[in-house]
Amino acid sequence: MPLYEAKAELFRLLGHPVRIRVLELLQERPMPVRDLLAAIGVEPTGLSQHLAVLRRSGMVTAQRDGSTVVYSLAGGDVAELLRAARQLLTQLLTGQHELLSELLQAETKTR
Amino acid sequence: MPLYEAKAELFRLLGHPVRIRVLELLQERPMPVRDLLAAIGVEPTGLSQHLAVLRRSGMVTAQRDGSTVVYSLAGGDVAELLRAARQLLTQLLTGQHELLSELLQAETKTR
DNA sequence: TCAGCAATTGCGAACATTCGCAATTGAAGT
DNA sequence: ACTTCAATTGCGAATGTTCGCAATTGCTGA
């Protein structure tokens, strides 16, 4: 399997708000499903499905503790990826902002 | 719009092999569509659509030069994000590999 | 044993993405 | 003006994703 396909697959797995929130929350500390549920505010069934996706990808691990299930980030440096994403986002946004400014300025010049 | 939604959106946009390849290729140098087409090996119409996605997101920019259109990476540090993705991927894969080894070892022990 | 809570799974309907064909735009050569 | 090549856009069919309901599993406490 080519590397670029694996990358695309990874990004696709990250491409959902709930899954992003889960990863961000687990970055602080391991958490039982109950807490994730309360923090995110989504149907249990939906959360379970998103957790299953993350589990299958190996990004998080689950372990039962009594009747609750506690999720943790597995090994990899997810934080670094999220950080890079935030950085790129701000760069893209300021880029668009600059472009907009230029357009507005050109607009006023022609008047 | 919450930040985690923007991040998810960004990842979703990156979640396709062709778009990843385009970004990787543009990282080397700006390129006309023709070259991308030859390098990736996909229908022109499909490539155009993926390029449109990247354009709308502000990650790449296009400029006409005669009858050809040349694409370039726009400002943001896409490279950093792709690098982080590759790092995480290798970490995830070695993680799974270790897990597999443990399972196999446990298996042989019980025999 | 059984009632009850936590979390998950199976499944179907709604929704979004992707792909290729046909048609279109823009620029270059004749 | 007309043909040709490069790239894009408009669709529709096929495919994939997401969501909630109903049913299930695993565990705990009566």
Side-chain angles (χ1 to χ4, degrees), chain B residues 44-71:
Chain B
T45 182
L47 182 57
S48 260
Q49 282 164 150
H50 291 297
L51 288 173
V53 169
L54 294 175
R55 246 186 295 125
R56 278 194 293 271
S57 78
M59 275 185 279
V60 307
T61 58
Q63 55 179 344
R64 284 203 94 99
D65 176 21
S67 74
T68 82
V69 176
V70 178
Y71 279 84

Side-chain angles (χ1 to χ4, degrees), chain A residues 12 15-16 19 43 45 49-50 64 66-67:
Chain A
R12 207 164 46 77
H16 193 288
R19 297 197 286 266
E43 301 286 321
T45 183
Q49 284 166 147
H50 289 297
R64 285 203 93 101
S67 75

Side-chain angles (χ1 to χ4, degrees), chain B residues 58-100:
Chain B
M59 275 185 279
V60 307
T61 58
Q63 55 179 344
R64 284 203 94 99
D65 176 21
S67 74
T68 82
V69 176
V70 178
Y71 279 84
S72 324
L73 286 189
D77 199 348
V78 174
E80 182 61 21
L81 188 59
L82 292 178
R83 205 195 50 72
R86 176 150 90 225
Q87 189 191 345
L88 180 53
L89 267 181
T90 64
Q91 289 169 347
L92 292 179
L93 287 178
T94 62
Q96 286 171 209
H97 180 262
E98 281 172 16
L99 187 56
L100 182 60

Side-chain angles (χ1 to χ4, degrees), chain A residues 11-83:
Chain A
F11 285 129
R12 207 164 46 77
L13 293 181
L14 292 171
H16 193 288
V18 169
R19 297 197 286 266
I20 293 291
R21 287 227 66 195
V22 167
L23 292 176
E24 288 181 342
L25 287 166
L26 292 184
Q27 225 153 20
E28 300 171 18
R29 58 181 176 81
M31 263 186 215
V33 174
R34 187 179 335 102
D35 292 9
L36 292 171
L37 218 41
I40 300 181
V42 65
E43 301 286 321
T45 183
L47 182 57
S48 260
Q49 284 166 147
H50 289 297
L51 287 173
V53 170
L54 294 175
R55 245 187 296 123
R56 277 194 294 271
S57 79
M59 276 185 280
V60 307
T61 59
Q63 56 181 340
R64 285 203 93 101
D65 175 22
S67 75
T68 81
V69 176
V70 178
Y71 277 85
S72 324
L73 285 190
D77 198 347
V78 174
E80 182 59 22
L81 188 59
L82 293 178
R83 205 195 50 71

